[in-house]
Amino acid sequence: MTTVGIRGTFFDFVDDPWKHIGNEQASARFHQDGLMVVTDGVIKAFGPYDKIAAAHPGVEITHIKDRIIVPGFIDGHIHLPQTRVLGAYGEQLLPWLQKWVYPEELKYRDRNYAREGVRRFLDALLASGTTTCQAFTSSSPVSTEELFEEASRRNMRVIAGLTGIDRNAPADFIDTPDNFYRDSKRLIAQYHNKGRNLYAITPRFAFGASPDLLRACQRLKHEHPDCWVNTHISENPAECSGVLVEHPDCQDYLGVYEKFDLVGPKFSGGHGVYLSNNEFRRMSKKGAAVVFCPCSNLFLGSGLFRLGRATDPEHRVRMSFGTDVGGGNRFSMISVLDDAYKVGMCNNTLLDGSIDPARKDLAEAERNKLSPYRGFWSITLGGAEGLYIDDKLGNFEPGKEADFVALDPNGGQIAQAWHQSLIADGAGPRTMDEAASMLFAVMMVGDDRCVDETWVMGKRLYKKD
């Protein structure tokens, strides 16, 4: 066994800050001088340096100075084969898919192209501080194989699966439900729960799925109940209308997935911009999750996700955040928090009564405000809870996997260090509140230039030059 220690300033979470309105500090944990002891990639002990070091004499310690160490970021919704079409101009969702995405994803049938794309994809994630992702691949099994293989070489935790689509796409892009079922069965046997790989049964979206394809997904879920289900839901108005044309016997978008018994624990629906209150309540009751993708929703003009509705304590929906690269135009979960804050503030204004007094809901308006506690919880422990992997990672509890990021709070814009000196006089944070304030500046003034080091299972895989 290999045991190492990581010393530095640590910030993580023990609870959901939306449960502690007015006292969000109760959801977090801060050690100005802390020590994490890691044995074979798993956290063995964590706490104040003096206490933990005394209990583990002789451990080789790496001291990460002048940084804030947080759990590795979790991207709950991202597309591997869209890496190269990042930032493609001028279309909303459905024409954007036809013009940019499907032609690029077709290239991932070629193993060499897929292998290069996967390498670039995982490099970009690590450089952004993302250590875990739930990813769409393509309609070709090759891309799924290459993703799991390369993620295994790097020992990264990945949830992914063959992406099923059999309508409303180019003829050479779609596949049959029978082929999707057969290939998925093989991939599940080959990769699910092998190392850190987890498999998601992945119908791309209901607009691109026939009843036969969704029945194939239902059969796979019944045969492999421990697998995840990853898809899209209620992203764009034209898509939402098209779904009800394709599935006229369903009353709403969620109902399509419910009809085929796919909605429950480990189900993730990306976007959810146009989910109704009733759909939110049904997702809450069934333990399903929604993934908030603000960069993509803004870039493609899809709309404003109702963060305050998803966090309604009476019908709380599990939630993770995602980049949705390439609809999202950045790999950085820090940038996701930047846009999520702005979406929340727009929703706050819509609900505070200043525009339409009839829509006034001060409690929901307040829940749209993305504090640093709410933000960093959402891409660490909250993201893990949304994906049902919080038993494995998300904070620094002993027994969990040692994935973490060392953030340089001065590492963003040239003006950032001067701003941060308002908080801590040019030094590192001394209290939890100072650390939270500096992390908020990372959210809003910084970007992935603040990511100095990324560690996976106790090994450093990325160091900023």
Side-chain angles (χ1 to χ4, degrees):
M1 292 193 299
T2 301
T3 299
V4 297
I6 308 297
R7 182 181 183 181
T9 297
F10 290 86
F11 190 105
D12 73 337
F13 293 89
V14 295
D15 202 4
D16 173 1
W18 271 282
K19 294 179 181 177
H20 299 272
I21 293 175
N23 184 29
E24 293 183 12
Q25 298 91 330
S27 68
R29 180 166 49 184
F30 173 73
H31 294 298
Q32 182 186 19
D33 186 13
L35 180 64
M36 179 167 60
V37 178
V38 179
T39 299
D40 292 343
V42 176
I43 299 169
K44 184 176 181 181
F46 174 68
Y49 173 79
D50 290 343
K51 177 181 177 182
I52 302 300
H56 296 84
V59 170
E60 181 181 344
I61 293 174
T62 298
H63 193 177
I64 302 177
K65 299 179 180 180
D66 303 319
R67 302 293 182 259
I68 301 175
I69 302 171
V70 299
F73 301 149
I74 298 168
D75 190 332
H77 185 107
I78 190 169
H79 293 259
L80 154 67
Q82 294 177 19
T83 301
R84 201 173 184 182
V85 294
L86 193 76
Y89 170 74
E91 305 286 351
Q92 291 198 354
L93 174 65
L94 297 182
W96 175 79
L97 289 170
Q98 297 288 341
K99 180 177 180 179
W100 293 105
V101 171
Y102 295 146
E104 176 64 18
E105 291 195 11
L106 274 170
K107 299 174 185 176
Y108 280 72
R109 291 182 174 179
D110 178 84
R111 190 170 296 278
N112 289 332
Y113 192 90
R115 186 168 295 158
E116 180 182 3
V118 166
R119 178 179 57 79
R120 292 178 180 271
F121 173 77
L122 294 178
D123 284 349
L125 287 178
L126 290 168
S128 299
T130 299
T131 56
T132 296
C133 70
Q134 179 175 242
F136 290 80
T137 59
S138 75
S139 56
S140 169
V142 169
S143 62
T144 306
E145 294 164 359
E146 290 299 321
L147 175 58
F148 280 134
E149 292 290 342
E150 182 62 21
S152 295
R153 281 189 282 271
R154 303 183 192 214
N155 211 13
M156 294 175 68
R157 184 166 289 286
V158 168
I159 306 172
L162 178 68
T163 302
I165 184 169
D166 69 342
R167 56 172 59 174
N168 291 320
D172 54 351
F173 187 82
I174 62 176
D175 203 357
T176 67
D178 286 344
N179 285 345
F180 172 77
Y181 173 80
R182 183 197 65 235
D183 290 335
S184 297
K185 287 285 287 186
R186 175 180 63 80
L187 292 166
I188 291 169
Q190 188 171 355
Y191 293 110
H192 184 49
N193 277 324
K194 304 298 171 58
R196 300 185 80 194
N197 296 325
L198 300 171
Y199 198 89
I201 299 158
T202 310
R204 188 179 195 116
F205 58 171
F207 183 66
S210 69
D212 285 343
L213 180 62
L214 291 169
R215 274 190 282 272
C217 294
Q218 180 181 25
R219 183 180 175 190
L220 288 166
K221 182 61 176 173
H222 287 174
E223 293 170 351
H224 304 279
D226 63 332
C227 281
W228 277 249
V229 177
N230 183 29
T231 190
H232 294 79
I233 191 167
S234 300
E235 178 178 357
N236 172 278
E239 172 218 12
C240 293
S241 299
V243 163
L244 297 184
V245 172
E246 297 290 346
H247 300 275
D249 57 332
C250 297
Q251 296 299 309
D252 54 33
Y253 207 134
L254 183 66
V256 178
Y257 299 128
E258 289 175 323
K259 178 182 176 181
F260 296 96
D261 197 26
L262 298 175
V263 181
K266 297 185 179 181
F267 172 94
S268 291
H271 300 282
V273 176
Y274 296 98
L275 288 171
S276 66
N277 292 352
N278 183 264
E279 286 172 294
F280 273 125
R281 286 192 290 269
R282 283 149 50 201
M283 291 183 76
S284 173
K285 184 176 181 179
K286 294 184 178 182
V290 66
V291 188
F292 181 20
C293 303
C295 298
S296 172
N297 297 340
L298 296 174
F299 182 78
L300 296 176
S302 298
L304 304 178
F305 175 73
R306 296 189 296 157
L307 181 60
R309 176 57 54 180
T311 51
D312 179 355
E314 293 186 12
H315 306 285
R316 181 62 187 272
V317 178
R318 285 179 180 253
M319 180 172 58
S320 60
F321 285 20
T323 60
D324 192 35
V325 164
N329 55 324
R330 289 160 289 180
F331 272 87
S332 172
M333 293 303 293
I334 294 172
S335 294
V336 168
L337 295 184
D338 177 9
D339 280 350
Y341 175 86
K342 295 166 185 174
V343 168
M345 290 302 289
C346 288
N347 284 331
N348 176 270
T349 300
L350 292 170
L351 292 167
D352 69 6
S354 58
I355 297 174
D356 180 0
R359 295 186 60 186
K360 184 176 182 179
D361 186 331
L362 294 181
E364 184 174 340
E366 194 282 333
R367 291 195 300 270
N368 277 289
K369 292 182 178 180
L370 197 70
S371 70
Y373 294 95
R374 294 173 178 182
F376 278 90
W377 175 83
S378 295
I379 64 173
T380 57
L381 182 59
E385 290 179 0
L387 297 178
Y388 285 86
I389 53 175
D390 52 300
D391 60 323
K392 299 175 174 63
L393 44 78
N395 64 6
F396 298 133
E397 282 296 300
K400 293 190 178 183
E401 297 158 348
D403 294 353
F404 59 91
V405 182
L407 294 176
D408 178 1
N410 300 316
Q413 300 180 40
I414 195 169
Q416 182 146 324
W418 197 33
H419 166 79
Q420 298 286 33
S421 69
L422 286 171
I423 300 166
D425 298 327
R430 292 158 296 213
T431 66
M432 181 184 292
D433 283 344
E434 285 187 354
S437 294
M438 296 184 86
L439 288 172
F440 185 71
V442 169
M443 280 173 54
M444 305 309 303
V445 186
D447 51 28
D448 57 4
R449 287 174 292 179
C450 294
V451 175
D452 189 57
E453 300 182 17
T454 303
W455 294 60
V456 171
M457 295 289 282
K459 294 183 179 180
R460 187 172 62 195
L461 296 192
Y462 169 80
K463 178 72 172 75
K464 185 171 66 175
D465 292 335

